[in-house]
């Protein structure tokens, strides 16, 4: 695939990312305390952000609008995604949050994983913590 993906391809990519976020959200709940101090929010490419948290990204999506990788480091497994636009990022987060999960959000990037993992990543990457929908009330 070369160039900018069309609307159908963008929807397919968004669906893949939402599905990946759902898999991470369903993997279980983590534990962990908040970081003592939060550094300034990191910026840069997906590879730069991955290097900051000492993971080798396993690229899943590499498109003009969104790049996504699965990462693992000493804190656990998480999804790292970077976006071409702030609007694209916010639309993706709003859709993904319906599936639950824990999100660490920076400028044009997001990390998705268990609560303890994203809190640990925040100690290096900075950013804001956001939580997806809580589906525990719906389980029987």
């Amino acid at each position: 695939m070369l160039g900018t993906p069309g609307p159908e391809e963008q929807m397919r990519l968004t669906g893949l990312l939402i599905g990946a976020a759902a898999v991470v959200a369903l993997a279980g709940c983590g534990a962990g305390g908040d970081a003592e101090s939060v550094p300034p929010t990191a910026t840069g490419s997906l590879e730069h952000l991955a290097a900051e948290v000492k993971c080798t990204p396993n690229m899943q999506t590499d498109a003009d609008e969104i790049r996504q990788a699965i990462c693992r480091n000493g804190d656990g497994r998480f999804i790292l995604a970077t976006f071409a636009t702030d609007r694209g990022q916010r639309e993706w987060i709003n859709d993904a949050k319906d599936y639950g999960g824990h999100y660490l959000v920076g400028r044009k990037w997001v990390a998705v994983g268990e609560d303890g993992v994203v809190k640990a990543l925040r100690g290096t990457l900075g950013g804001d913590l956001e939580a997806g929908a809580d589906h525990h009330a719906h389980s029987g």
Side-chain angles (χ1 to χ4, degrees), residues 40-51:
T41 302
T43 60
S45 68
L46 188 142
E47 290 81 3
H48 172 79
L49 296 168

Side-chain angles (χ1 to χ4, degrees), residues 1-63:
M1 174 172 81
L2 297 174
T4 303
E8 290 179 14
E9 182 66 11
Q10 288 177 2
M11 291 296 293
R12 187 182 73 75
L13 293 172
T14 298
L16 289 172
L17 285 171
I18 290 170
V23 168
V24 170
L26 295 174
C29 296
D34 287 323
E36 293 284 323
S37 64
V38 178
T41 302
T43 60
S45 68
L46 188 142
E47 290 81 3
H48 172 79
L49 296 168
E52 289 287 318
V53 294
K54 298 176 177 39
C55 89
T56 301
N58 177 1
M59 293 300 292
Q60 302 295 305
T61 304
D62 192 357

